[in-house]
Amino acid sequence: MEEEAKCGRLFADAEFPPEDSSLFSDYTTPISNLQVCITWMRPQEICQSPRMFPENPKEAHVKQGILGDCWFLCACTVLLKNDHMMNKVLPAGQPQWGERGYEGRFRFRFWQFGRWVDVEVDDWLPCVNAKLCFSHCQSPSAFWVALLEKAYAKLHGSYERLWAGQVSDALVDLTGGLAERWSLKDSWKEENQHGEKHKPKKKLDLSSLQGVRDRGTVSCSVHSSPGGASELGQYHALSVMEWTDVTTETGGHVRLLRIRNPWGRRCWGGAWSESGDGWRELEPGYSQDLLSRTQEGEFWVEEAELLKEIDEVTVGYPINDQGLLQSIYTGKELPHNQQMGGCWIRDHSAGGCRNNSTFGSNPKFWLRVCEPGEVLVSLLQHRGWRQSSISRECSNVEDPQEGSPEPHQDYQAIGLHMWKVEKKHFNLTRTLNRTPCASTHCHAYEREVTLRAHLGPGFHLLIPSTFLQGAEASFLLRVFSSAPVSLSALKCPPPPAAAVWDGEWETSRFPGRWVPGISAGGSRNFPSHRTNPHVPLVVSYQSGEPNTRITLRQHCPAKALQPIGFHIYQVPEGSVDPQISQDQEPQASCVPHSYAPEVSLHCSLAPGAYVILPSTYQPQCKGHFTLTVTKRIHRKVVKSREALGQLIQEVSNISVMRS
């Protein structure tokens, strides 16, 4: 009773409470079957002497529970290798159980879209039969990974949203650095499609990673049950803990890798399993030394055997104690970095891939390199826009594995191209007709894609793009370099609002703001929607074609973008203060609300009076905006012929407003 009273005085997170809403988002994963079995307990109720980390560092390694987040747990390996990153993600000095100041709350930090964000959680943890049912440490009294997993689940919205994902995404969230995925079997298939039938399958060259092996993070994933690991199911990730080259007593050379299975079980057979025949080929003392290095859930496997069974490898770039990225290709530090955000906006800057004539309308950036050096450029898209359907006939788009989980269903297929230019004053069309000096392999449905190049001094043109023309998303462009660089946006004048239409147009701009409690009513999902700002609109031109274009632009930094949209309602003509009824349907809408600096709509409205209600998706969100209305108007066109000098006559159209 005393312990229960003490727990009752501790911090309880109202944003992520110990309830089903924190566990489940749509009840579509296997953990939903255990809904009635899961209870919530604090660490001091689970064991006598809880602590964040065990006394024996070897017992700090993670074990996967019933949640399918092996991808996240493999990424957590980087924190056990790097004290600097561990202290970044889990700030030191937080009072723990039994210490003065302990309140039942812990703070973690994750890198999100260009900045580190704090996530605070209480220490209520999901249990089954008084034991942690999700991730935990090998030591039953250590809780760093269980609390880290809870904070990551809160960041995503629920534990269930951690079911299936990419190791590379979690590595970036935990380090703020970069990670690359090397799809081994896809590379072999693609080479065959290009007619090179006898070219060998691409293999991971671990020798190239020797310079970063101590701090780097390597994991491998299987997409189907491999022959050597009969216990492994589909879509499971494993951590590569180390590798070593051994010489057998017969003079042969073998590379062995020590693999950790997050499940905590040794699941690989073959010659180098614990009782395999391979160990007989080595000196007994050497065999014993290697076998003694394995811990719970670890096993040795030959490189050739492993690469035959796995589908892809993920490599995380090391980060040193000064927070500098280290190249996995050269081992050199990349001390110079720049980042800049941007957006693809339909009918403005969403030009699609190079298959489209509108490719040049995509956002463009100058990358100025001051000295020769190694340069990494990454394109990271912000989750939020629903992925559009795309025909699989498009051969240069990386298709997901058939039957594979789709953790990136909200992502667009993105790519990045780079051209070397002699100076900033250049011909864009001529430049884009040339072959890029560097580019991503293809447009891929990934959160982040990366290109690497050795660049000389000068200007380089960077163009990030989606595969589909008109696909909207916001993105972050990041550059890491061994030499000084500068990144800036190429300022291009926007196309005229109604350039695609003939006739005469009139443009008006209305600045406004959303004020919580007054004019921040949110979307139509909320009763307060009618309190949003009302912008009047009168349409007088009758046409079967679009006669109105409305653009809503929010004024804030890219990292503070809110989902915005607007609705157009018809009102009685001549009314001074028209009101919108609760059940009134809009005549046109710009939805869904999008995380974009600007959204727009072309529409055909019948003559009459209207009001436009711009809004954020959620109510009570403050912000400033400008609403631009371009509408077609009646003009009387008078043709005349003007003489220009003595040799040239020019036909001009002089427009006169109809009286």
Side-chain angles (χ1 to χ4, degrees), residues 105-137:
R105 74 173 77 213
F106 292 93
R107 180 169 60 92
F108 296 86
R109 306 186 77 209
F110 300 99
W111 188 89
Q112 293 286 286
F113 206 60
R115 62 192 180 99
W116 288 91
V117 299
D118 290 340
V119 178
E120 187 179 69
V121 293
D122 59 33
D123 57 0
W124 286 105
L125 296 170
C127 298
V128 172
N129 297 327
K131 293 183 179 181
L132 294 175
C133 60
F134 296 152
S135 301
H136 50 282
C137 291

Side-chain angles (χ1 to χ4, degrees), residues 416-443:
L416 185 61
H417 294 79
M418 178 193 296
W419 286 265
K420 174 71 185 296
V421 292
E422 295 302 322
K423 54 186 178 181
K424 293 183 75 171
H425 302 287
F426 72 107
N427 184 293
L428 178 63
T429 303
R430 193 175 304 160
T431 298
L432 298 186
N433 284 334
R434 302 201 321 256
T435 302
C437 66
S439 66
T440 53
H441 180 63
C442 63
H443 283 73

Side-chain angles (χ1 to χ4, degrees), residues 189-334:
K189 179 175 67 175
E190 184 176 327
E191 289 164 353
N192 283 344
Q193 288 175 346
H194 284 77
E196 302 176 14
K197 297 181 180 180
H198 302 293
K199 190 168 183 176
K201 180 178 63 178
K202 178 181 177 181
K203 291 187 178 181
L204 170 66
D205 182 13
L206 290 173
S207 299
S208 65
L209 302 178
Q210 287 292 109
V212 298
R213 63 187 300 173
D214 293 334
R215 285 184 175 269
T217 306
V218 181
S219 70
C220 50
S221 303
V222 292
H223 294 167
S224 58
S225 298
S230 57
E231 294 185 25
L232 283 181
Q234 292 181 326
Y235 317 116
H236 189 51
L238 308 165
S239 296
V240 180
M241 306 305 292
E242 68 165 317
W243 61 88
T244 184
D245 295 322
V246 300
T247 302
T248 65
E249 292 186 332
T250 58
H253 299 281
V254 179
R255 173 167 290 170
L256 297 179
L257 293 85
R258 180 162 59 91
I259 306 296
R260 175 182 293 278
N261 178 11
W263 289 341
R265 299 198 303 268
R266 295 172 180 172
C267 56
W268 205 283
W272 300 95
S273 60
E274 190 172 13
S275 57
D277 295 335
W279 300 108
R280 300 174 186 172
E281 301 178 19
L282 306 181
E283 295 181 2
Y286 195 21
S287 296
Q288 188 60 37
D289 175 60
L290 293 179
L291 286 171
S292 66
R293 299 183 196 178
T294 59
Q295 301 174 43
E296 183 179 0
E298 294 184 354
F299 54 88
W300 289 96
V301 61
E302 185 178 350
E303 179 187 30
E305 181 185 351
L306 180 71
L307 295 180
K308 180 181 177 182
E309 303 290 357
I310 64 175
D311 293 274
E312 67 181 25
V313 170
T314 300
V315 181
Y317 284 71
I319 295 179
N320 63 20
D321 291 340
Q322 289 72 45
L324 300 179
L325 202 72
Q326 187 178 357
S327 171
I328 61 175
Y329 296 96
T330 63
K332 295 181 179 178
E333 290 183 351
L334 305 176

Side-chain angles (χ1 to χ4, degrees), residues 23-33 35 158 160-161 163 409:
L23 292 171
F24 310 108
S25 53
D26 52 17
Y27 296 86
T28 58
T29 62
I31 64 171
S32 61
N33 299 326
Q35 179 181 359
S158 72
E160 193 172 37
R161 287 185 176 169
W163 191 283
Q409 59 188 0

Side-chain angles (χ1 to χ4, degrees), residues 344-352 358 361-363 466 468-472:
W344 295 291
I345 303 172
R346 187 180 295 111
D347 300 323
H348 177 60
S349 60
T358 54
S361 66
N362 282 299
T466 59
L468 291 175
Q469 180 184 6
E472 293 190 317

